[in-house]
Amino acid sequence: EQVRHFKFDILVWEYFINDVQPENSSGTPILIKNSTRGKIVTFLSGKSFFFDYVYWRLSSRYEKTIQELRTADLDQYHNPEVLAAHEQRITTFVKSLKADNTKIVVIFFPSIYLLAPDYSAKAEHYMMVDYFKQQGVDAEVDLLPDLINQDKRKLMASRFDTHPNEIVHKLAADKLYDAILPLLDKSTK
C-alpha cells in the first residue's frame, strides 16, 4: 500500500520459507532467549563490535539459534490458524495487484541452511509453490530444483550468515530474467 503510487507494471515477489511467521513471531522468543548473556559479556559486547563478533563466532549458541529458528518457521506451516492467516494475506495482496493490472512474478528461495538431498522443508516449500499457482500469478521461479543437491556451504554468504550468496543471486537473476522477458510489452523489448 505504501508504494502503490508508483504504478509498477510487474512485481517480483521473493518468497522465503520464514515468510509464514506472523507479526508475533515465534522466532522472537528464541532470539531473546539465545541472546541472553552474562553481565560481563553483555557489557563487552555493548562496548566493542569486535568482541561481539568474536563472541558469536566462538559461541555454540549461534548454530543452536539458527536451528531453532528454522524449526519454528516450519512449525508455523502446521499451525492451521497461522497458515490460514498467511494464505489470506497472500490472496488479498494478489487480488489487489491483479485489480491494478500488475503482473506478478514469484521467486521461491529455499532455506540454504536446510539444503540437503532430503531438504526438510520440501513439503512446505511445494505447498506454497502450489498455493501461488492457485492464485494465478503470472510467473513462478523456483530455485529449489537447482540448489537441492548442492553443498550448502558453497551457497551461503558465510559460515555465520545463512543468507544466499552471490552464486544463488546470479542464478535467481538469470531465472528472473527468463521469467520476466515474456511479460514485457513487445514495444519495450
Side-chain angles (χ1 to χ4, degrees):
E1 291 301 318
Q2 296 172 351
V3 295
R4 279 191 112 116
H5 63 281
F6 288 122
K7 306 280 186 216
F8 38 85
D9 298 316
I10 299 173
L11 176 109
V12 176
W13 187 333
E14 294 178 75
Y15 191 85
F16 295 90
I17 204 74
N18 67 347
D19 287 351
V20 71
Q21 284 287 355
E23 287 181 26
N24 56 343
S25 165
S26 61
T28 303
I30 292 168
L31 290 172
I32 291 170
K33 177 187 74 162
N34 290 343
S35 293
T36 305
R37 300 171 281 187
K39 289 181 182 180
I40 293 174
V41 172
T42 301
F43 173 79
L44 292 172
S45 288
K47 298 292 182 190
S48 168
F49 288 116
F50 177 72
F51 177 85
D52 193 60
Y53 174 85
V54 171
Y55 172 80
W56 282 105
R57 295 317 182 259
L58 299 177
S59 173
S60 62
R61 287 185 180 188
Y62 178 82
E63 192 74 26
K64 180 182 174 194
T65 301
I66 295 298
Q67 185 57 47
E68 286 182 36
L69 288 171
R70 296 301 181 254
T71 300
D73 293 341
L74 294 182
D75 287 348
Q76 297 307 308
Y77 286 95
H78 304 286
N79 179 328
E81 290 177 21
V82 170
L83 183 60
H86 180 57
E87 290 175 339
Q88 184 57 51
R89 283 190 304 274
I90 291 170
T91 299
T92 301
F93 191 44
V94 168
K95 283 182 182 177
S96 73
L97 291 168
K98 287 181 173 278
D100 290 342
N101 293 318
T102 303
K103 294 176 180 153
I104 306 165
V105 177
V106 182
I107 182 166
F108 297 91
F109 280 84
S111 171
I112 303 299
Y113 181 79
L114 298 175
L115 278 179
D118 63 340
Y119 185 58
S120 60
K122 190 183 286 186
E124 295 81 3
H125 180 93
Y126 285 118
M127 174 176 61
M128 295 314 299
V129 169
D130 290 342
Y131 190 79
F132 274 95
K133 280 182 186 169
Q134 293 168 13
Q135 301 311 302
V137 297
D138 297 283
E140 292 182 330
V141 174
D142 185 2
L143 300 179
L144 182 58
D146 295 293
L147 300 175
I148 195 164
N149 292 318
Q150 303 279 336
D151 180 353
K152 68 182 178 184
R153 295 171 297 179
K154 294 180 180 177
L155 302 173
M156 295 189 309
S158 78
R159 185 175 141 228
F160 301 104
D161 183 351
T162 62
H163 288 92
N165 68 11
E166 67 278 3
I167 295 168
V168 178
H169 285 284
K170 181 178 182 337
L171 174 68
D174 291 345
K175 289 191 161 277
L176 278 173
Y177 178 84
D178 291 341
I180 291 171
L181 195 59
L183 300 177
L184 298 176
D185 292 334
K186 292 189 186 320
S187 60
T188 62
K189 287 185 184 176

